[in-house]
Amino acid sequence: MRLSDVYEIFIEAKRAKRWDDERKWFIDPQGNPTVDPDMVDYKALVVAIPTAGVWALKINEDPNYKNEVEEGIRRVIYAS
């Protein structure tokens, strides 16, 4: 996931005024939450991203590692 992609989705949802009162965020056309990149906690995001060495080691050991890392990154972005 690239932050620029997140930003474009957020801007599009904001322009379309797709605000979800129940969850208090803008949603994309599929109903997924969107994120204002200016509100992302970058220190927490950096912690959620493994170093290249850790990635290379664990990706070969655990087939679910990639999904776990992506989910952790999503949690940080949406929690922000």
Side-chain angles (χ1 to χ4, degrees), residues 20-32:
D20 184 342
D21 271 336
E22 183 180 322
R23 296 182 284 180
K24 305 296 184 210
W25 58 41
F26 287 97
I27 55 174
D28 69 9
Q30 293 76 35
N32 300 313

Side-chain angles (χ1 to χ4, degrees), residues 58-72:
K58 291 191 176 182
I59 198 73
N60 291 326
E61 293 176 357
D62 183 1
N64 295 322
Y65 185 65
K66 178 182 176 191
N67 294 334
E68 292 170 8
V69 170
E70 288 175 350
E71 182 60 30

Side-chain angles (χ1 to χ4, degrees), residues 40-58:
V40 172
D41 182 351
Y42 289 101
K43 289 180 182 178
L45 185 58
V46 168
V47 170
I49 300 171
T51 62
V54 170
W55 175 266
L57 178 67
K58 291 191 176 182

Side-chain angles (χ1 to χ4, degrees), residues 6-7 9 12 14 26 28 31 36 38 41 49 55-56 66 79:
V6 171
Y7 185 68
I9 294 168
E12 189 276 330
K14 196 171 176 180
F26 287 97
D28 69 9
D36 182 353
D38 295 334
D41 182 351
I49 300 171
W55 175 266
K66 178 182 176 191

Side-chain angles (χ1 to χ4, degrees), residues 1-9 37:
M1 177 185 300
R2 294 182 183 185
L3 200 53
S4 61
D5 296 339
V6 171
Y7 185 68
E8 290 169 12
I9 294 168

